[in-house]
Amino acid sequence: LFHLPILQSNQPVRTIHTIRTHCFFIVRNDQLERSGVYREAEDMDKPKRQNSWGEEKVVVFVEANDCLSVESKWKVDKQLKTQKCHKCSLPRLKSEKDLYRIDEKSRAEHYVATVKLNGLGPNFRLERLIGRVRSLYILERPLMEDIKKLAVVGCGSMGGGLALLFAEKGLGVLLNDPSEETMDGILSQAKDGGIGDRISKYTDYKTLCENLDSPKVFLFSLPHGSVGDSVLEGLLPYLMKGDIIIDAGNEHYSNTERRQGKCVTKGIRYVGMGVSGGYQAARRGPSMCPGGDDETLDMILPLLRKVAAKDRRGISCVGKAGTSGSGHYVKMIHNGIEHGMMSAVSEAWGIMVWGLGMKYEEVGDTFEKWNKDEQLASRGTFLIDIGANICRTKKSDGSKVLKEVEDKVVQDITGEEGTGIWSNEEAVELHIPAPTLATAHFLRLASADRAQRSRVKDTFGGDFPPQKLEVKDKSAFLEDLRLATYAACLAAYIQGINEIEEADRMHKWNINYAHVLQIWRAGCIIQADYIADMLQPIFAEFETKDSMNLLFEKSVAQDLKEAQPSLRKIVIKALEGDFVVPALSASLEYIKYSCSLDLPTQFYEAELDYFGKHMYDKKGDDPEGKPETGKHHFEWKAA
């Protein structure tokens, strides 16, 4: 095989690196020196020459799916030159449509085709390939047979749901969990569902591994932290080069990268994959966010597409997030966005129930209208959709379930959930303002300890209960509330994407934002059809942008600008009535200070210089406004 880089950008096409993948491009380039074909050699800096081609060429390995994602820039010859694969006699490529379908096939087939790239300048970058490409040939072949068996290690609500889902799709599923009772419960459900013959349980790693195919494929659904390390240590003696581990827990990305580093030295493939949608989606089709090396992702994507959620267009909500630990990082930020959106929707619910005196049924009807009206910016938002159902759901005695739910969110305290904490830590570490995400998390923390709140209430001699709101036009007020909720949800998206971009810049993960948006289109908690449709053209062109800060985008800015007056009205009314609205109010402040050039930090900076000699910039002396130490100090008071 021939090898050339796809992992680094801005490298000359003639630089040789060894990577592994399953498809290659033979590129002819007028500007390359006449050096024949670069063959793989012991000394990659001195490649062997092979002049049998009769013309200057260089073999370039890249990942086909990513290259085909720029298909809009390709103009395929009407007279496609095709030939049979030299390895087999599979069908020839017959049309441009067939070429583009390669990306969608569950298994790659052998095709050879000539494609012309027209009108591309010398700086055109096809993934990480630099140079003026005149023509290229594609050969793709399967890396491995379809995955027919996998082991699910960790059979809680998420792992159990995924095990049943994979079995429904025809796979043989081998269960492993410390609790036999848990595994027996899954086996019972499988039997009831007519798929009992596809699921089996194993209590030790040796027997588990002996009953898997080669390569062995594992799906971890484990708590974050040391549990994953213990399971990996237990499995390692039975693993071989080429075996695959898909870590589908809510793991911290740094743990994922550490395990990837440990596995790669043994030739074991380790993918960190975020799974969203909760236990119900795990059973019916979740959103999946895998991160790892391209070759391994190509091997597992056909499997994941079988079970992933489908958006309203029928496209699977799974794709390559990026390399290394990016899959778990993006899922972590997804959960931070989720917390911001949940807080905003819950605050809107509180205003309707306690401020307007609306019955639960009426609130459910309002949420349904917000969610289903095609003209509304709140359209297709999962959290609003389930909000309508929650408001309407009754117990067998006719009473509303919601009425008996205590106001405590304890997952952060009990250790069940770490992603919200990590996403806020990342915002601080990366110097990204994310107030909607942060204040939503603080509300969760305050809510968890109801005993503490009760004691504070006693100390105060009472609390500040929300007041009945006097509104002249209820319909107009509800429309303002809808726009306010939408603005906060959009602000949460913006803040989360900014975190991802800065982390990507630091870690060099090559985040594919188009894939990330597709992953979030269905099956996940932050699904929001209107927002996704608005972001689609922006994310599709992510490679051409100097920044993914959505506040730089006209369409996003226009929506926030139009929603800001409504958000301001709602926050003012809420504050006057003593409502708890941290996400809504933080989002309003975020919009204001993000576009302001006259912040009260002018005085803040002066005080810093006064007591700490921290320096400042003079007005008019810093046209670029970059975050750098100022050049001036004033001796406000002699030391």
Side-chain angles (χ1 to χ4, degrees):
L1 296 179
F2 306 91
H3 302 277
L4 210 80
I6 58 170
L7 301 182
Q8 289 97 0
S9 60
N10 301 320
Q11 289 188 306
V13 119
R14 291 180 285 111
T15 304
I16 304 294
H17 288 263
T18 301
I19 59 167
R20 298 185 63 193
T21 189
H22 69 287
C23 48
F24 64 80
F25 290 68
I26 303 172
V27 179
R28 293 181 295 182
N29 192 319
D30 290 337
Q31 295 185 345
L32 292 177
E33 64 176 342
R34 302 185 68 83
S35 58
V37 175
Y38 293 132
R39 294 281 191 181
E40 182 179 2
E42 293 293 325
D43 183 357
M44 298 307 292
D45 292 327
K46 298 178 180 179
K48 297 175 182 178
R49 303 280 177 114
Q50 171 57 261
N51 296 310
S52 60
W53 296 98
E55 58 184 304
E56 54 192 29
K57 296 185 178 180
V58 65
V59 177
V60 180
F61 275 71
V62 290
E63 197 285 315
N65 293 345
D66 287 342
C67 289
L68 290 175
S69 69
V70 297
E71 64 189 48
S72 61
K73 299 176 182 176
W74 292 18
K75 183 176 180 181
V76 180
D77 246 353
K78 291 182 180 179
Q79 301 298 324
L80 283 169
K81 301 174 184 178
T82 63
Q83 64 188 61
K84 291 181 181 178
C85 173
H86 69 283
K87 294 285 187 184
C88 69
S89 300
L90 287 175
R92 297 181 180 186
L93 181 67
K94 295 180 180 179
S95 68
E96 173 183 344
K97 185 177 180 182
D98 287 334
L99 172 65
Y100 294 150
R101 196 179 294 137
I102 291 175
D103 183 44
E104 302 170 1
K105 285 181 176 290
S106 60
R107 282 189 60 205
E109 291 183 336
H110 301 57
Y111 287 116
V112 181
T114 300
V115 181
K116 289 188 176 179
L117 296 159
N118 297 327
L120 302 178
N123 295 322
F124 174 73
R125 182 164 66 92
L126 182 62
E127 286 308 300
R128 279 78 194 163
L129 173 61
I130 308 296
R132 287 186 61 189
V133 181
R134 190 172 68 188
S135 63
L136 55 86
Y137 298 78
I138 303 174
L139 172 63
E140 182 165 315
R141 61 184 177 82
L143 275 173
M144 60 181 289
E145 296 297 320
D146 282 343
I147 297 170
K148 297 181 174 63
K149 284 185 179 181
L150 85 158
V152 175
V153 182
C155 301
S157 59
M158 292 294 288
L162 287 169
L164 292 167
L165 183 58
F166 278 113
E168 278 185 353
K169 299 300 180 180
L171 274 78
V173 179
L174 289 68
L175 305 177
N176 178 266
D177 191 274
S179 170
E180 284 203 57
E181 182 181 355
T182 298
M183 292 191 286
D184 289 339
I186 296 170
L187 290 172
S188 177
Q189 292 181 59
K191 183 178 180 180
D192 293 342
I195 54 173
D197 59 332
R198 298 178 193 160
I199 301 185
S200 53
K201 69 174 183 178
Y202 296 86
T203 57
D204 66 280
Y205 294 145
K206 183 176 184 294
T207 310
L208 176 72
C209 293
E210 288 173 348
N211 284 275
L212 286 169
D213 294 336
S214 182
K216 295 183 282 293
V217 181
F218 301 84
L219 185 136
F220 288 1
S221 184
L222 304 167
H224 62 83
S226 61
V227 177
D229 294 313
S230 300
V231 171
L232 181 59
E233 283 296 325
L235 283 172
L236 278 177
Y238 310 106
L239 301 185
M240 298 178 63
K241 181 178 180 180
D243 288 344
I244 301 170
I245 296 172
I246 306 170
D247 185 342
N250 271 337
E251 186 56 273
H252 193 280
Y253 75 95
S254 62
N255 289 335
T256 305
E257 293 187 332
R258 177 170 48 77
R259 292 170 195 154
Q260 287 172 331
K262 185 173 187 176
C263 287
V264 73
T265 61
K266 305 177 186 299
I268 298 165
R269 303 172 183 275
Y270 196 103
V271 172
M273 183 176 76
V275 178
S276 182
Y279 77 97
Q280 293 175 334
R283 183 67 186 88
R284 301 301 174 193
S287 162
M288 295 176 163
C289 185
D293 68 276
D294 275 349
E295 185 178 277
T296 303
L297 294 180
D298 281 330
M299 296 169 75
I300 66 172
L301 275 173
L303 170 69
L304 301 179
R305 290 188 183 112
K306 290 181 181 180
V307 298
K310 304 292 189 294
D311 66 12
R312 64 184 187 276
R313 302 165 299 172
I315 301 175
S316 296
C317 293
V318 61
K320 300 177 183 179
T323 60
S324 197
S326 60
H328 276 144
Y329 191 94
V330 171
K331 174 54 166 60
M332 172 186 72
I333 299 302
H334 163 286
N335 285 19
I337 296 171
E338 168 190 317
H339 295 175
M341 294 177 68
M342 289 182 75
S343 188
V345 174
S346 299
E347 292 162 27
W349 170 85
I351 289 172
M352 285 188 276
V353 172
W354 298 316
L356 300 181
M358 294 169 62
K359 301 295 185 184
Y360 285 176
E361 287 287 346
E362 189 181 359
V363 175
D365 293 342
T366 302
F367 277 152
E368 182 177 25
K369 178 183 178 182
W370 288 6
N371 194 57
K372 291 189 175 180
D373 193 325
E374 288 295 318
Q375 303 303 313
L376 297 183
S378 49
R379 163 175 59 83
T381 301
F382 172 80
L383 289 168
I384 293 177
D385 179 47
I386 67 170
N389 292 333
I390 289 170
C391 288
R392 295 165 174 164
T393 301
K394 298 178 181 180
K395 298 170 63 177
S396 57
D397 61 5
S399 63
K400 291 288 196 305
V401 179
L402 180 56
K403 285 188 176 181
E404 68 179 25
V405 177
E406 191 67 275
D407 64 344
K408 299 193 304 180
V409 177
V410 301
Q411 287 77 18
D412 306 295
I413 308 297
T414 60
E416 299 170 56
E417 176 64 76
T419 51
I421 298 170
W422 304 333
S423 63
N424 283 295
E425 288 176 343
E426 284 291 303
V428 175
E429 289 288 340
L430 298 173
H431 314 299
I432 300 295
T436 307
L437 280 55
T439 194
H441 187 72
F442 292 144
L443 177 61
R444 287 164 61 103
L445 296 179
S447 77
D449 196 339
R450 186 176 172 86
Q452 178 175 271
R453 286 186 282 136
S454 178
R455 183 174 177 180
V456 171
K457 181 178 179 180
D458 289 343
T459 304
F460 274 52
D463 61 354
F464 305 94
Q467 307 298 308
K468 178 80 172 177
L469 296 178
E470 298 295 331
V471 296
K472 295 181 180 179
D473 188 333
K474 182 178 176 181
S475 295
F477 182 84
L478 286 175
E479 176 59 11
D480 284 332
L481 184 59
R482 181 189 68 80
L483 284 171
T485 306
Y486 164 67
C489 291
L490 182 55
Y493 258 80
I494 293 166
Q495 293 160 27
I497 292 299
N498 285 346
E499 284 194 57
I500 292 173
E501 181 184 32
E502 190 59 34
D504 183 32
R505 187 177 290 117
M506 176 183 296
H507 297 285
K508 311 281 190 250
W509 283 328
N510 297 314
I511 294 291
N512 189 315
Y513 291 91
H515 287 187
V516 169
L517 185 63
Q518 179 57 36
I519 290 167
W520 291 350
R521 275 215 173 248
C524 71
I525 308 303
I526 66 171
Q527 175 187 344
D529 291 347
Y530 180 91
I531 292 177
D533 288 346
M534 177 175 62
L535 298 183
Q536 182 70 41
I538 299 170
F539 281 46
E541 299 295 327
F542 74 93
E543 289 185 302
T544 66
K545 295 183 177 296
D546 65 342
S547 173
M548 286 301 293
N549 189 336
L550 297 175
L551 292 174
F552 298 162
E553 300 294 335
K554 293 286 188 183
S555 57
V556 176
Q558 184 63 30
D559 267 26
L560 288 177
K561 187 176 179 180
E562 291 177 358
Q564 196 265 359
S566 293
L567 179 57
R568 184 176 64 245
K569 289 177 186 176
I570 294 300
V571 169
I572 290 172
K573 272 287 187 183
L575 293 178
E576 288 177 345
D578 282 330
F579 285 83
V580 176
V581 287
L584 293 176
S585 57
S587 299
L588 175 63
E589 296 301 325
Y590 177 70
I591 295 169
K592 291 192 299 181
Y593 64 61
S594 290
C595 61
S596 174
L597 295 181
D598 288 298
L599 296 176
T601 45
Q602 175 182 349
F603 188 77
Y604 196 132
E605 180 78 333
E607 291 204 320
L608 284 169
D609 188 60
Y610 186 105
F611 68 76
K613 197 178 181 180
H614 287 289
M615 314 294 283
Y616 61 89
D617 280 314
K618 289 183 177 179
K619 291 193 173 188
D621 286 354
D622 181 32
E624 293 186 354
K626 293 182 178 180
E628 299 172 349
T629 302
K631 302 177 181 61
H632 304 280
H633 166 69
F634 186 82
E635 195 68 10
W636 305 86
K637 179 181 179 181

